Amino acid sequence: RGRDGWKEDSGYHRRSLAENMMFRLKQLGDRLFSRTFERQVAEAHVRVVILNGFTYLGMPRSVRAGQIAPTA
C-alpha cells in the first residue's frame, strides 16, 4: 500500500497536526516566564487562547451550495 498505507496505519496525519500545533505554540515563546505553577498554568492558557483565536480567524466560512451566506 506504500506511503499512504503507512501514514494511515501509523496515524501519521494526526501526529503531524499535533507537531505543527506545538511548533506554532513555541513561536509565541519557548518558555514560561512565571515562577509559580498557578501563574504558569494561566500563562499557558493565554497562549492556547491566542492560538485558538488565530486558528478560528484562518478557518474558511463554508455554506451549502445554493444557500446565501450570512453577512455577519
Side-chain angles (χ1 to χ4, degrees):
R1 292 179 12 168
R3 187 187 336 213
D4 290 336
W6 168 80
K7 286 181 178 182
E8 186 176 325
D9 292 341
S10 67
Y12 178 81
H13 181 68
R14 288 181 55 87
R15 183 171 61 243
S16 175
L17 291 174
E19 288 175 2
N20 186 272
M21 182 59 76
M22 289 306 297
F23 171 77
R24 290 187 289 168
L25 182 63
K26 289 179 181 181
Q27 294 302 302
L28 295 175
D30 59 346
R31 68 186 197 99
L32 299 174
F33 294 97
S34 302
R35 292 183 181 213
T36 64
F37 179 73
E38 291 80 15
R39 290 184 180 181
Q40 288 176 351
V41 169
E43 187 177 338
H45 279 250
V46 167
R47 290 180 185 189
V48 169
V49 167
I50 291 170
L51 271 180
N52 286 340
F54 286 152
T55 300
Y56 175 76
L57 290 172
M59 296 294 285
R61 291 188 185 174
S62 55
V63 295
R64 191 173 291 231
Q67 292 183 344
I68 299 174
T71 57

PDB file of all heavy atoms in Angstrom, residues 15-54:
ATOM      1  N   ARG A  15      -0.443  12.917  14.034  1.00  0.00           N
ATOM      2  CA  ARG A  15       0.813  13.284  14.697  1.00  0.00           C
ATOM      3  C   ARG A  15       1.396  14.534  14.052  1.00  0.00           C
ATOM      4  O   ARG A  15       1.899  15.425  14.728  1.00  0.00           O
ATOM      5  CB  ARG A  15       1.796  12.122  14.643  1.00  0.00           C
ATOM      6  CG  ARG A  15       3.088  12.421  15.384  1.00  0.00           C
ATOM      7  CD  ARG A  15       3.986  11.202  15.528  1.00  0.00           C
ATOM      8  NE  ARG A  15       4.400  10.664  14.261  1.00  0.00           N
ATOM      9  CZ  ARG A  15       4.085   9.446  13.815  1.00  0.00           C
ATOM     10  NH1 ARG A  15       3.339   8.652  14.542  1.00  0.00           N
ATOM     11  NH2 ARG A  15       4.508   9.030  12.651  1.00  0.00           N
ATOM     12  N   SER A  16       1.312  14.616  12.732  1.00  0.00           N
ATOM     13  CA  SER A  16       1.813  15.778  12.021  1.00  0.00           C
ATOM     14  C   SER A  16       1.056  17.032  12.431  1.00  0.00           C
ATOM     15  O   SER A  16       1.658  18.099  12.622  1.00  0.00           O
ATOM     16  CB  SER A  16       1.695  15.553  10.515  1.00  0.00           C
ATOM     17  OG  SER A  16       2.076  16.701   9.809  1.00  0.00           O
ATOM     18  N   LEU A  17      -0.258  16.939  12.577  1.00  0.00           N
ATOM     19  CA  LEU A  17      -1.048  18.082  13.016  1.00  0.00           C
ATOM     20  C   LEU A  17      -0.640  18.515  14.424  1.00  0.00           C
ATOM     21  O   LEU A  17      -0.522  19.712  14.709  1.00  0.00           O
ATOM     22  CB  LEU A  17      -2.537  17.745  12.989  1.00  0.00           C
ATOM     23  CG  LEU A  17      -3.169  17.567  11.615  1.00  0.00           C
ATOM     24  CD1 LEU A  17      -4.613  17.097  11.757  1.00  0.00           C
ATOM     25  CD2 LEU A  17      -3.098  18.853  10.822  1.00  0.00           C
ATOM     26  N   ALA A  18      -0.418  17.550  15.308  1.00  0.00           N
ATOM     27  CA  ALA A  18      -0.015  17.866  16.677  1.00  0.00           C
ATOM     28  C   ALA A  18       1.363  18.522  16.696  1.00  0.00           C
ATOM     29  O   ALA A  18       1.592  19.493  17.441  1.00  0.00           O
ATOM     30  CB  ALA A  18      -0.016  16.597  17.531  1.00  0.00           C
ATOM     31  N   GLU A  19       2.298  18.021  15.901  1.00  0.00           N
ATOM     32  CA  GLU A  19       3.637  18.604  15.861  1.00  0.00           C
ATOM     33  C   GLU A  19       3.586  20.027  15.309  1.00  0.00           C
ATOM     34  O   GLU A  19       4.291  20.914  15.795  1.00  0.00           O
ATOM     35  CB  GLU A  19       4.565  17.747  15.006  1.00  0.00           C
ATOM     36  CG  GLU A  19       4.939  16.439  15.666  1.00  0.00           C
ATOM     37  CD  GLU A  19       5.754  15.530  14.766  1.00  0.00           C
ATOM     38  OE1 GLU A  19       6.057  15.936  13.628  1.00  0.00           O
ATOM     39  OE2 GLU A  19       6.079  14.423  15.209  1.00  0.00           O
ATOM     40  N   ASN A  20       2.740  20.256  14.320  1.00  0.00           N
ATOM     41  CA  ASN A  20       2.599  21.595  13.760  1.00  0.00           C
ATOM     42  C   ASN A  20       2.023  22.550  14.794  1.00  0.00           C
ATOM     43  O   ASN A  20       2.466  23.699  14.903  1.00  0.00           O
ATOM     44  CB  ASN A  20       1.717  21.545  12.514  1.00  0.00           C
ATOM     45  CG  ASN A  20       1.663  22.877  11.829  1.00  0.00           C
ATOM     46  OD1 ASN A  20       0.823  23.708  12.159  1.00  0.00           O
ATOM     47  ND2 ASN A  20       2.570  23.076  10.887  1.00  0.00           N
ATOM     48  N   MET A  21       1.051  22.101  15.581  1.00  0.00           N
ATOM     49  CA  MET A  21       0.466  22.950  16.619  1.00  0.00           C
ATOM     50  C   MET A  21       1.503  23.283  17.691  1.00  0.00           C
ATOM     51  O   MET A  21       1.578  24.418  18.166  1.00  0.00           O
ATOM     52  CB  MET A  21      -0.748  22.270  17.245  1.00  0.00           C
ATOM     53  CG  MET A  21      -1.434  23.109  18.300  1.00  0.00           C
ATOM     54  SD  MET A  21      -2.037  24.704  17.718  1.00  0.00           S
ATOM     55  CE  MET A  21      -3.464  24.198  16.829  1.00  0.00           C
ATOM     56  N   MET A  22       2.339  22.316  18.061  1.00  0.00           N
ATOM     57  CA  MET A  22       3.381  22.590  19.051  1.00  0.00           C
ATOM     58  C   MET A  22       4.391  23.591  18.507  1.00  0.00           C
ATOM     59  O   MET A  22       4.868  24.460  19.238  1.00  0.00           O
ATOM     60  CB  MET A  22       4.080  21.291  19.471  1.00  0.00           C
ATOM     61  CG  MET A  22       3.219  20.384  20.316  1.00  0.00           C
ATOM     62  SD  MET A  22       2.533  21.185  21.781  1.00  0.00           S
ATOM     63  CE  MET A  22       4.003  21.603  22.673  1.00  0.00           C
ATOM     64  N   PHE A  23       4.704  23.512  17.228  1.00  0.00           N
ATOM     65  CA  PHE A  23       5.610  24.482  16.615  1.00  0.00           C
ATOM     66  C   PHE A  23       5.018  25.882  16.715  1.00  0.00           C
ATOM     67  O   PHE A  23       5.700  26.840  17.100  1.00  0.00           O
ATOM     68  CB  PHE A  23       5.878  24.115  15.153  1.00  0.00           C
ATOM     69  CG  PHE A  23       6.628  25.175  14.403  1.00  0.00           C
ATOM     70  CD1 PHE A  23       7.989  25.328  14.580  1.00  0.00           C
ATOM     71  CD2 PHE A  23       5.962  26.032  13.544  1.00  0.00           C
ATOM     72  CE1 PHE A  23       8.683  26.315  13.900  1.00  0.00           C
ATOM     73  CE2 PHE A  23       6.647  27.025  12.867  1.00  0.00           C
ATOM     74  CZ  PHE A  23       8.010  27.170  13.044  1.00  0.00           C
ATOM     75  N   ARG A  24       3.733  26.008  16.387  1.00  0.00           N
ATOM     76  CA  ARG A  24       3.087  27.327  16.451  1.00  0.00           C
ATOM     77  C   ARG A  24       3.023  27.830  17.884  1.00  0.00           C
ATOM     78  O   ARG A  24       3.179  29.024  18.139  1.00  0.00           O
ATOM     79  CB  ARG A  24       1.702  27.271  15.829  1.00  0.00           C
ATOM     80  CG  ARG A  24       1.772  27.095  14.323  1.00  0.00           C
ATOM     81  CD  ARG A  24       0.433  27.208  13.686  1.00  0.00           C
ATOM     82  NE  ARG A  24      -0.361  26.036  14.019  1.00  0.00           N
ATOM     83  CZ  ARG A  24      -1.655  25.920  13.814  1.00  0.00           C
ATOM     84  NH1 ARG A  24      -2.321  26.916  13.277  1.00  0.00           N
ATOM     85  NH2 ARG A  24      -2.297  24.825  14.129  1.00  0.00           N
ATOM     86  N   LEU A  25       2.795  26.932  18.848  1.00  0.00           N
ATOM     87  CA  LEU A  25       2.771  27.328  20.253  1.00  0.00           C
ATOM     88  C   LEU A  25       4.135  27.855  20.686  1.00  0.00           C
ATOM     89  O   LEU A  25       4.239  28.869  21.376  1.00  0.00           O
ATOM     90  CB  LEU A  25       2.357  26.146  21.130  1.00  0.00           C
ATOM     91  CG  LEU A  25       2.241  26.401  22.627  1.00  0.00           C
ATOM     92  CD1 LEU A  25       1.157  27.421  22.911  1.00  0.00           C
ATOM     93  CD2 LEU A  25       1.949  25.110  23.353  1.00  0.00           C
ATOM     94  N   LYS A  26       5.199  27.201  20.247  1.00  0.00           N
ATOM     95  CA  LYS A  26       6.553  27.635  20.602  1.00  0.00           C
ATOM     96  C   LYS A  26       6.916  28.960  19.944  1.00  0.00           C
ATOM     97  O   LYS A  26       7.787  29.676  20.436  1.00  0.00           O
ATOM     98  CB  LYS A  26       7.568  26.562  20.237  1.00  0.00           C
ATOM     99  CG  LYS A  26       7.469  25.339  21.136  1.00  0.00           C
ATOM    100  CD  LYS A  26       8.470  24.291  20.744  1.00  0.00           C
ATOM    101  CE  LYS A  26       8.348  23.078  21.636  1.00  0.00           C
ATOM    102  NZ  LYS A  26       9.324  22.042  21.288  1.00  0.00           N
ATOM    103  N   GLN A  27       6.246  29.322  18.848  1.00  0.00           N
ATOM    104  CA  GLN A  27       6.511  30.608  18.216  1.00  0.00           C
ATOM    105  C   GLN A  27       6.047  31.761  19.100  1.00  0.00           C
ATOM    106  O   GLN A  27       6.525  32.882  18.962  1.00  0.00           O
ATOM    107  CB  GLN A  27       5.823  30.694  16.845  1.00  0.00           C
ATOM    108  CG  GLN A  27       6.377  29.733  15.826  1.00  0.00           C
ATOM    109  CD  GLN A  27       7.859  29.933  15.594  1.00  0.00           C
ATOM    110  OE1 GLN A  27       8.292  31.008  15.218  1.00  0.00           O
ATOM    111  NE2 GLN A  27       8.631  28.896  15.846  1.00  0.00           N
ATOM    112  N   LEU A  28       5.115  31.501  20.016  1.00  0.00           N
ATOM    113  CA  LEU A  28       4.675  32.523  20.965  1.00  0.00           C
ATOM    114  C   LEU A  28       5.642  32.653  22.135  1.00  0.00           C
ATOM    115  O   LEU A  28       5.437  33.477  23.016  1.00  0.00           O
ATOM    116  CB  LEU A  28       3.277  32.184  21.490  1.00  0.00           C
ATOM    117  CG  LEU A  28       2.158  32.206  20.455  1.00  0.00           C
ATOM    118  CD1 LEU A  28       0.866  31.729  21.088  1.00  0.00           C
ATOM    119  CD2 LEU A  28       2.002  33.593  19.874  1.00  0.00           C
ATOM    120  N   GLY A  29       6.665  31.863  22.163  1.00  0.00           N
ATOM    121  CA  GLY A  29       7.657  31.864  23.241  1.00  0.00           C
ATOM    122  C   GLY A  29       7.939  30.441  23.647  1.00  0.00           C
ATOM    123  O   GLY A  29       7.016  29.664  23.861  1.00  0.00           O
ATOM    124  N   ASP A  30       9.208  30.101  23.752  1.00  0.00           N
ATOM    125  CA  ASP A  30       9.546  28.699  24.018  1.00  0.00           C
ATOM    126  C   ASP A  30       9.684  28.386  25.502  1.00  0.00           C
ATOM    127  O   ASP A  30      10.033  27.276  25.865  1.00  0.00           O
ATOM    128  CB  ASP A  30      10.822  28.302  23.271  1.00  0.00           C
ATOM    129  CG  ASP A  30      12.012  29.160  23.657  1.00  0.00           C
ATOM    130  OD1 ASP A  30      11.807  30.209  24.277  1.00  0.00           O
ATOM    131  OD2 ASP A  30      13.146  28.774  23.331  1.00  0.00           O
ATOM    132  N   ARG A  31       9.400  29.361  26.353  1.00  0.00           N
ATOM    133  CA  ARG A  31       9.437  29.069  27.787  1.00  0.00           C
ATOM    134  C   ARG A  31       8.411  29.923  28.505  1.00  0.00           C
ATOM    135  O   ARG A  31       7.940  30.930  27.974  1.00  0.00           O
ATOM    136  CB  ARG A  31      10.824  29.295  28.364  1.00  0.00           C
ATOM    137  CG  ARG A  31      11.273  30.721  28.392  1.00  0.00           C
ATOM    138  CD  ARG A  31      12.724  30.848  28.855  1.00  0.00           C
ATOM    139  NE  ARG A  31      13.005  32.204  29.260  1.00  0.00           N
ATOM    140  CZ  ARG A  31      13.011  32.617  30.516  1.00  0.00           C
ATOM    141  NH1 ARG A  31      12.748  31.775  31.489  1.00  0.00           N
ATOM    142  NH2 ARG A  31      13.266  33.874  30.823  1.00  0.00           N
ATOM    143  N   LEU A  32       8.088  29.516  29.737  1.00  0.00           N
ATOM    144  CA  LEU A  32       7.157  30.273  30.566  1.00  0.00           C
ATOM    145  C   LEU A  32       7.966  31.210  31.464  1.00  0.00           C
ATOM    146  O   LEU A  32       9.042  30.859  31.939  1.00  0.00           O
ATOM    147  CB  LEU A  32       6.320  29.319  31.421  1.00  0.00           C
ATOM    148  CG  LEU A  32       5.454  28.338  30.634  1.00  0.00           C
ATOM    149  CD1 LEU A  32       4.785  27.352  31.587  1.00  0.00           C
ATOM    150  CD2 LEU A  32       4.420  29.070  29.808  1.00  0.00           C
ATOM    151  N   PHE A  33       7.447  32.396  31.685  1.00  0.00           N
ATOM    152  CA  PHE A  33       8.173  33.389  32.461  1.00  0.00           C
ATOM    153  C   PHE A  33       7.722  33.455  33.910  1.00  0.00           C
ATOM    154  O   PHE A  33       8.432  33.995  34.758  1.00  0.00           O
ATOM    155  CB  PHE A  33       8.027  34.768  31.802  1.00  0.00           C
ATOM    156  CG  PHE A  33       8.690  34.830  30.458  1.00  0.00           C
ATOM    157  CD1 PHE A  33       7.952  34.652  29.304  1.00  0.00           C
ATOM    158  CD2 PHE A  33      10.048  35.041  30.348  1.00  0.00           C
ATOM    159  CE1 PHE A  33       8.559  34.691  28.064  1.00  0.00           C
ATOM    160  CE2 PHE A  33      10.665  35.079  29.115  1.00  0.00           C
ATOM    161  CZ  PHE A  33       9.927  34.905  27.975  1.00  0.00           C
ATOM    162  N   SER A  34       6.555  32.939  34.215  1.00  0.00           N
ATOM    163  CA  SER A  34       6.032  32.976  35.576  1.00  0.00           C
ATOM    164  C   SER A  34       6.782  31.992  36.458  1.00  0.00           C
ATOM    165  O   SER A  34       7.256  30.950  36.009  1.00  0.00           O
ATOM    166  CB  SER A  34       4.546  32.641  35.574  1.00  0.00           C
ATOM    167  OG  SER A  34       3.848  33.547  34.764  1.00  0.00           O
ATOM    168  N   ARG A  35       6.854  32.317  37.737  1.00  0.00           N
ATOM    169  CA  ARG A  35       7.585  31.446  38.669  1.00  0.00           C
ATOM    170  C   ARG A  35       6.694  30.440  39.376  1.00  0.00           C
ATOM    171  O   ARG A  35       7.115  29.325  39.642  1.00  0.00           O
ATOM    172  CB  ARG A  35       8.311  32.293  39.708  1.00  0.00           C
ATOM    173  CG  ARG A  35       9.429  33.094  39.106  1.00  0.00           C
ATOM    174  CD  ARG A  35      10.179  33.849  40.145  1.00  0.00           C
ATOM    175  NE  ARG A  35      11.233  34.634  39.522  1.00  0.00           N
ATOM    176  CZ  ARG A  35      12.382  34.884  40.093  1.00  0.00           C
ATOM    177  NH1 ARG A  35      12.634  34.421  41.297  1.00  0.00           N
ATOM    178  NH2 ARG A  35      13.282  35.600  39.482  1.00  0.00           N
ATOM    179  N   THR A  36       5.474  30.822  39.703  1.00  0.00           N
ATOM    180  CA  THR A  36       4.601  29.895  40.425  1.00  0.00           C
ATOM    181  C   THR A  36       3.828  29.029  39.429  1.00  0.00           C
ATOM    182  O   THR A  36       3.543  29.451  38.304  1.00  0.00           O
ATOM    183  CB  THR A  36       3.601  30.649  41.318  1.00  0.00           C
ATOM    184  OG1 THR A  36       2.731  31.432  40.504  1.00  0.00           O
ATOM    185  CG2 THR A  36       4.325  31.545  42.313  1.00  0.00           C
ATOM    186  N   PHE A  37       3.490  27.837  39.868  1.00  0.00           N
ATOM    187  CA  PHE A  37       2.813  26.893  38.993  1.00  0.00           C
ATOM    188  C   PHE A  37       1.472  27.431  38.513  1.00  0.00           C
ATOM    189  O   PHE A  37       1.128  27.298  37.342  1.00  0.00           O
ATOM    190  CB  PHE A  37       2.623  25.546  39.702  1.00  0.00           C
ATOM    191  CG  PHE A  37       1.917  24.531  38.857  1.00  0.00           C
ATOM    192  CD1 PHE A  37       2.565  23.934  37.796  1.00  0.00           C
ATOM    193  CD2 PHE A  37       0.598  24.192  39.120  1.00  0.00           C
ATOM    194  CE1 PHE A  37       1.912  23.002  36.998  1.00  0.00           C
ATOM    195  CE2 PHE A  37      -0.056  23.266  38.334  1.00  0.00           C
ATOM    196  CZ  PHE A  37       0.603  22.670  37.279  1.00  0.00           C
ATOM    197  N   GLU A  38       0.703  28.048  39.413  1.00  0.00           N
ATOM    198  CA  GLU A  38      -0.616  28.556  39.048  1.00  0.00           C
ATOM    199  C   GLU A  38      -0.502  29.611  37.955  1.00  0.00           C
ATOM    200  O   GLU A  38      -1.306  29.649  37.023  1.00  0.00           O
ATOM    201  CB  GLU A  38      -1.321  29.138  40.272  1.00  0.00           C
ATOM    202  CG  GLU A  38      -1.731  28.108  41.306  1.00  0.00           C
ATOM    203  CD  GLU A  38      -0.573  27.684  42.214  1.00  0.00           C
ATOM    204  OE1 GLU A  38       0.468  28.382  42.246  1.00  0.00           O
ATOM    205  OE2 GLU A  38      -0.709  26.643  42.866  1.00  0.00           O
ATOM    206  N   ARG A  39       0.485  30.470  38.053  1.00  0.00           N
ATOM    207  CA  ARG A  39       0.668  31.504  37.038  1.00  0.00           C
ATOM    208  C   ARG A  39       1.196  30.905  35.727  1.00  0.00           C
ATOM    209  O   ARG A  39       0.885  31.402  34.647  1.00  0.00           O
ATOM    210  CB  ARG A  39       1.604  32.591  37.546  1.00  0.00           C
ATOM    211  CG  ARG A  39       0.955  33.420  38.630  1.00  0.00           C
ATOM    212  CD  ARG A  39       1.833  34.546  39.059  1.00  0.00           C
ATOM    213  NE  ARG A  39       1.180  35.313  40.107  1.00  0.00           N
ATOM    214  CZ  ARG A  39       1.705  36.376  40.666  1.00  0.00           C
ATOM    215  NH1 ARG A  39       2.902  36.796  40.286  1.00  0.00           N
ATOM    216  NH2 ARG A  39       1.067  37.023  41.614  1.00  0.00           N
ATOM    217  N   GLN A  40       1.994  29.852  35.834  1.00  0.00           N
ATOM    218  CA  GLN A  40       2.452  29.172  34.621  1.00  0.00           C
ATOM    219  C   GLN A  40       1.271  28.560  33.879  1.00  0.00           C
ATOM    220  O   GLN A  40       1.205  28.614  32.647  1.00  0.00           O
ATOM    221  CB  GLN A  40       3.482  28.094  34.960  1.00  0.00           C
ATOM    222  CG  GLN A  40       4.822  28.643  35.373  1.00  0.00           C
ATOM    223  CD  GLN A  40       5.788  27.560  35.790  1.00  0.00           C
ATOM    224  OE1 GLN A  40       5.418  26.392  35.937  1.00  0.00           O
ATOM    225  NE2 GLN A  40       7.046  27.934  35.998  1.00  0.00           N
ATOM    226  N   VAL A  41       0.350  27.981  34.634  1.00  0.00           N
ATOM    227  CA  VAL A  41      -0.855  27.407  34.026  1.00  0.00           C
ATOM    228  C   VAL A  41      -1.649  28.503  33.331  1.00  0.00           C
ATOM    229  O   VAL A  41      -2.088  28.339  32.184  1.00  0.00           O
ATOM    230  CB  VAL A  41      -1.718  26.684  35.091  1.00  0.00           C
ATOM    231  CG1 VAL A  41      -3.086  26.326  34.538  1.00  0.00           C
ATOM    232  CG2 VAL A  41      -1.007  25.453  35.603  1.00  0.00           C
ATOM    233  N   ALA A  42      -1.818  29.645  34.007  1.00  0.00           N
ATOM    234  CA  ALA A  42      -2.558  30.753  33.413  1.00  0.00           C
ATOM    235  C   ALA A  42      -1.857  31.260  32.153  1.00  0.00           C
ATOM    236  O   ALA A  42      -2.506  31.554  31.141  1.00  0.00           O
ATOM    237  CB  ALA A  42      -2.714  31.880  34.430  1.00  0.00           C
ATOM    238  N   GLU A  43      -0.534  31.343  32.193  1.00  0.00           N
ATOM    239  CA  GLU A  43       0.231  31.809  31.032  1.00  0.00           C
ATOM    240  C   GLU A  43       0.071  30.849  29.851  1.00  0.00           C
ATOM    241  O   GLU A  43      -0.108  31.278  28.705  1.00  0.00           O
ATOM    242  CB  GLU A  43       1.708  31.924  31.415  1.00  0.00           C
ATOM    243  CG  GLU A  43       2.570  32.556  30.375  1.00  0.00           C
ATOM    244  CD  GLU A  43       4.019  32.709  30.842  1.00  0.00           C
ATOM    245  OE1 GLU A  43       4.281  32.722  32.054  1.00  0.00           O
ATOM    246  OE2 GLU A  43       4.885  32.805  29.952  1.00  0.00           O
ATOM    247  N   ALA A  44       0.099  29.561  30.120  1.00  0.00           N
ATOM    248  CA  ALA A  44      -0.083  28.568  29.062  1.00  0.00           C
ATOM    249  C   ALA A  44      -1.500  28.667  28.481  1.00  0.00           C
ATOM    250  O   ALA A  44      -1.687  28.567  27.267  1.00  0.00           O
ATOM    251  CB  ALA A  44       0.176  27.166  29.602  1.00  0.00           C
ATOM    252  N   HIS A  45      -2.495  28.889  29.346  1.00  0.00           N
ATOM    253  CA  HIS A  45      -3.878  29.026  28.875  1.00  0.00           C
ATOM    254  C   HIS A  45      -4.025  30.237  27.964  1.00  0.00           C
ATOM    255  O   HIS A  45      -4.738  30.177  26.958  1.00  0.00           O
ATOM    256  CB  HIS A  45      -4.843  29.126  30.059  1.00  0.00           C
ATOM    257  CG  HIS A  45      -5.186  27.805  30.664  1.00  0.00           C
ATOM    258  ND1 HIS A  45      -6.420  27.231  30.551  1.00  0.00           N
ATOM    259  CD2 HIS A  45      -4.442  26.945  31.372  1.00  0.00           C
ATOM    260  CE1 HIS A  45      -6.425  26.063  31.168  1.00  0.00           C
ATOM    261  NE2 HIS A  45      -5.224  25.869  31.686  1.00  0.00           N
ATOM    262  N   VAL A  46      -3.378  31.337  28.313  1.00  0.00           N
ATOM    263  CA  VAL A  46      -3.450  32.535  27.484  1.00  0.00           C
ATOM    264  C   VAL A  46      -2.875  32.248  26.101  1.00  0.00           C
ATOM    265  O   VAL A  46      -3.444  32.641  25.082  1.00  0.00           O
ATOM    266  CB  VAL A  46      -2.709  33.707  28.160  1.00  0.00           C
ATOM    267  CG1 VAL A  46      -2.499  34.862  27.196  1.00  0.00           C
ATOM    268  CG2 VAL A  46      -3.463  34.166  29.391  1.00  0.00           C
ATOM    269  N   ARG A  47      -1.755  31.542  26.052  1.00  0.00           N
ATOM    270  CA  ARG A  47      -1.150  31.209  24.758  1.00  0.00           C
ATOM    271  C   ARG A  47      -2.068  30.327  23.924  1.00  0.00           C
ATOM    272  O   ARG A  47      -2.189  30.504  22.713  1.00  0.00           O
ATOM    273  CB  ARG A  47       0.199  30.522  24.962  1.00  0.00           C
ATOM    274  CG  ARG A  47       1.245  31.465  25.497  1.00  0.00           C
ATOM    275  CD  ARG A  47       2.561  30.767  25.685  1.00  0.00           C
ATOM    276  NE  ARG A  47       3.510  31.678  26.304  1.00  0.00           N
ATOM    277  CZ  ARG A  47       4.790  31.427  26.445  1.00  0.00           C
ATOM    278  NH1 ARG A  47       5.279  30.286  26.008  1.00  0.00           N
ATOM    279  NH2 ARG A  47       5.588  32.286  27.020  1.00  0.00           N
ATOM    280  N   VAL A  48      -2.720  29.374  24.568  1.00  0.00           N
ATOM    281  CA  VAL A  48      -3.635  28.481  23.854  1.00  0.00           C
ATOM    282  C   VAL A  48      -4.835  29.258  23.332  1.00  0.00           C
ATOM    283  O   VAL A  48      -5.287  29.043  22.202  1.00  0.00           O
ATOM    284  CB  VAL A  48      -4.076  27.315  24.762  1.00  0.00           C
ATOM    285  CG1 VAL A  48      -5.230  26.537  24.151  1.00  0.00           C
ATOM    286  CG2 VAL A  48      -2.900  26.396  25.035  1.00  0.00           C
ATOM    287  N   VAL A  49      -5.353  30.211  24.120  1.00  0.00           N
ATOM    288  CA  VAL A  49      -6.475  31.038  23.666  1.00  0.00           C
ATOM    289  C   VAL A  49      -6.058  31.856  22.448  1.00  0.00           C
ATOM    290  O   VAL A  49      -6.824  31.989  21.482  1.00  0.00           O
ATOM    291  CB  VAL A  49      -6.974  31.943  24.815  1.00  0.00           C
ATOM    292  CG1 VAL A  49      -7.913  33.029  24.308  1.00  0.00           C
ATOM    293  CG2 VAL A  49      -7.661  31.116  25.877  1.00  0.00           C
ATOM    294  N   ILE A  50      -4.848  32.394  22.464  1.00  0.00           N
ATOM    295  CA  ILE A  50      -4.352  33.157  21.315  1.00  0.00           C
ATOM    296  C   ILE A  50      -4.280  32.259  20.078  1.00  0.00           C
ATOM    297  O   ILE A  50      -4.739  32.631  18.994  1.00  0.00           O
ATOM    298  CB  ILE A  50      -2.977  33.772  21.629  1.00  0.00           C
ATOM    299  CG1 ILE A  50      -3.123  34.876  22.670  1.00  0.00           C
ATOM    300  CG2 ILE A  50      -2.313  34.304  20.370  1.00  0.00           C
ATOM    301  CD1 ILE A  50      -1.806  35.374  23.228  1.00  0.00           C
ATOM    302  N   LEU A  51      -3.714  31.068  20.231  1.00  0.00           N
ATOM    303  CA  LEU A  51      -3.621  30.135  19.101  1.00  0.00           C
ATOM    304  C   LEU A  51      -5.001  29.754  18.574  1.00  0.00           C
ATOM    305  O   LEU A  51      -5.214  29.709  17.360  1.00  0.00           O
ATOM    306  CB  LEU A  51      -2.877  28.870  19.513  1.00  0.00           C
ATOM    307  CG  LEU A  51      -1.380  28.882  19.346  1.00  0.00           C
ATOM    308  CD1 LEU A  51      -0.798  27.557  19.798  1.00  0.00           C
ATOM    309  CD2 LEU A  51      -1.003  29.151  17.917  1.00  0.00           C
ATOM    310  N   ASN A  52      -5.931  29.478  19.478  1.00  0.00           N
ATOM    311  CA  ASN A  52      -7.279  29.116  19.047  1.00  0.00           C
ATOM    312  C   ASN A  52      -7.938  30.273  18.302  1.00  0.00           C
ATOM    313  O   ASN A  52      -8.655  30.053  17.317  1.00  0.00           O
ATOM    314  CB  ASN A  52      -8.135  28.690  20.236  1.00  0.00           C
ATOM    315  CG  ASN A  52      -7.763  27.323  20.756  1.00  0.00           C
ATOM    316  OD1 ASN A  52      -7.142  26.532  20.056  1.00  0.00           O
ATOM    317  ND2 ASN A  52      -8.135  27.045  21.994  1.00  0.00           N
ATOM    318  N   GLY A  53      -7.685  31.497  18.754  1.00  0.00           N
ATOM    319  CA  GLY A  53      -8.229  32.659  18.055  1.00  0.00           C
ATOM    320  C   GLY A  53      -7.670  32.775  16.652  1.00  0.00           C
ATOM    321  O   GLY A  53      -8.402  33.030  15.694  1.00  0.00           O
ATOM    322  N   PHE A  54      -6.353  32.581  16.508  1.00  0.00           N
ATOM    323  CA  PHE A  54      -5.739  32.628  15.182  1.00  0.00           C
ATOM    324  C   PHE A  54      -6.278  31.514  14.291  1.00  0.00           C
ATOM    325  O   PHE A  54      -6.532  31.716  13.103  1.00  0.00           O
ATOM    326  CB  PHE A  54      -4.221  32.514  15.274  1.00  0.00           C
ATOM    327  CG  PHE A  54      -3.545  33.765  15.769  1.00  0.00           C
ATOM    328  CD1 PHE A  54      -2.343  33.685  16.440  1.00  0.00           C
ATOM    329  CD2 PHE A  54      -4.094  35.019  15.559  1.00  0.00           C
ATOM    330  CE1 PHE A  54      -1.698  34.835  16.882  1.00  0.00           C
ATOM    331  CE2 PHE A  54      -3.463  36.167  15.998  1.00  0.00           C
ATOM    332  CZ  PHE A  54      -2.266  36.074  16.671  1.00  0.00           C
TER     333      PHE A  54
END
